[in-house]
Amino acid sequence: MILCAGESLIDMVPEDGAFRPLAGGAVYNTTVALGRLGEPTAYLWPISRDPFGEILLRPLIEAGVNTDLCPRSDRLTTLALVTLTGGEARYSFYDEGSAGRMLSQNDIPELPGDVQAIFAGGISLVPDPCGGAIESLIQRNHHRLPVMLDPNIRPFFITDPDSYRARLNRLLPMADIVKLSADDFEWLFPALDLADAARKVLQMGPRIVLQTGGAAGAHAYWAGETVNAPAVRVTVADTIGAGDTFNAGVLASLRRQGVLSKDGIAGITADQLRSALTLGAQAAAVTVSRAGANPPWASEMPA
């Protein structure tokens, strides 16, 4: 079972001059995508008892995600107002004192024995106490479980860049797989080109660094020659949830290939990496072809 730990929120998406509430959040989207792809998945994040919390629970349950590790909270759900510019999503967050924001290290449980990997990232890594809680989860378990990390950096959400960089400098060496977009690399290493920035991250300890670039496809940097997979050409409705769905496709492929373990990732081959990138790109293509973060079900994927 793949455990996803990180934010869920409500995306207030523009529609006919108003806003439509849709379940979202980077880690949440990856969780739902994994469940829809038929992968055994669990979620760890507080869910509010407010009406928005019910909106968040429904897709998790429909996708078959285990929510036993999701404490219910009387605090409010995080809201993200979405604006679209040329199909690209931009966000404004309403998060102070929210259910997820107040997750603490004391709320992190011992993990069930059937958890075989951890996925984390998103804005849940930025503020405390929730950032410290996710860091604690990874610190406690990374020696025995493979960790995939996608910081999904949102500069406008980061009020203390130095503190956030320090957290990433602690987390990246504990991750086995790190996924970064071109924008993420630009924020982390503005003086380096993408390839050099990816190698810089590799030097910090991860086995694999994945770089996504929309229509430019995806690239995997690792101990061997760089592995590439082209983007799947579709008519783009918007890009909400694209990278999150890509993450789910990668994790699903690695698990299906039997390499989602510490030893499996250490011994991965170029063909296995290419298969993972390809499934990630195929899944992301479905998501961008329709409005909002609406990842594909297994039946919608190529045979």
Side-chain angles (χ1 to χ4, degrees):
M1 180 168 66
I2 301 170
L3 175 66
C4 299
E7 80 276 3
S8 56
L9 50 82
I10 295 295
D11 282 325
M12 303 297 287
V13 178
E15 185 175 277
D16 299 327
F19 286 93
R20 177 186 178 193
L22 296 173
V27 178
Y28 175 89
N29 293 338
T30 297
T31 308
V32 172
L34 276 166
R36 289 187 178 186
L37 289 174
E39 297 302 304
T41 309
Y43 188 46
L44 169 56
W45 193 250
I47 301 290
S48 176
R49 294 187 179 92
D50 68 13
F52 288 134
E54 297 305 315
I55 293 177
L56 290 168
L57 272 177
R58 194 175 308 120
L60 293 169
I61 293 168
E62 290 174 351
V65 173
N66 183 319
T67 59
D68 291 348
L69 297 179
C70 293
R72 299 306 299 272
S73 171
D74 291 327
R75 294 180 180 274
L76 298 177
T77 300
T78 298
L79 302 182
L81 253 63
V82 181
T83 55
L84 299 175
T85 303
E88 292 289 331
R90 297 290 183 265
Y91 303 84
S92 300
F93 293 92
Y94 296 78
D95 188 49
E96 287 294 332
S98 67
R101 176 78 167 262
M102 301 311 293
L103 177 73
S104 72
Q105 296 184 37
N106 293 334
D107 297 322
I108 301 297
E110 292 297 318
L111 299 187
D114 56 348
V115 172
Q116 67 182 113
I118 296 172
F119 173 80
I123 63 170
S124 57
L125 302 180
V126 179
D128 285 319
C130 64
I134 299 301
E135 183 176 346
S136 176
L137 167 72
I138 293 171
Q139 195 278 330
R140 293 183 204 175
N141 295 282
H142 77 98
H143 295 292
R144 64 186 184 90
L145 295 174
V147 174
M148 180 173 177
L149 192 70
D150 178 5
N152 198 24
I153 297 168
R154 304 294 188 192
F156 48 81
F157 191 77
I158 301 167
T159 58
D160 187 346
D162 290 341
S163 177
Y164 180 55
R165 287 180 185 277
R167 172 159 287 148
L168 290 181
N169 284 337
R170 296 190 298 270
L171 285 171
L172 292 173
M174 293 190 283
D176 300 273
I177 304 171
V178 176
K179 197 286 292 268
L180 296 162
S181 68
D183 288 343
D184 295 335
F185 278 119
E186 172 65 23
W187 191 87
L188 286 168
F189 306 107
L192 300 179
D193 64 27
L194 291 178
D196 287 341
R199 295 185 187 99
K200 184 81 170 177
V201 177
L202 276 177
Q203 291 169 5
M204 299 175 73
R207 297 277 188 176
I208 301 166
V209 174
L210 306 179
Q211 184 253 313
T212 55
H219 314 279
Y221 299 87
W222 60 308
E225 292 189 7
T226 303
V227 175
N228 307 299
V232 178
R233 293 188 177 276
V234 294
T235 300
V236 176
D238 62 53
T239 60
I240 300 173
D244 311 325
T245 306
F246 172 85
N247 293 335
V250 167
L251 286 165
S253 176
L254 295 176
R255 198 194 72 82
R256 294 170 188 177
Q257 294 183 79
V259 293
L260 191 56
S261 65
K262 298 292 266 191
D263 290 342
I265 292 171
I268 200 165
T269 67
D271 286 342
Q272 289 168 332
L273 267 177
R274 189 171 294 105
S275 293
L277 293 180
T278 299
L279 188 61
Q282 290 171 338
V286 177
T287 298
V288 302
S289 72
R290 48 203 192 191
N294 185 6
W297 296 85
S299 60
E300 298 178 288
M301 294 294 292

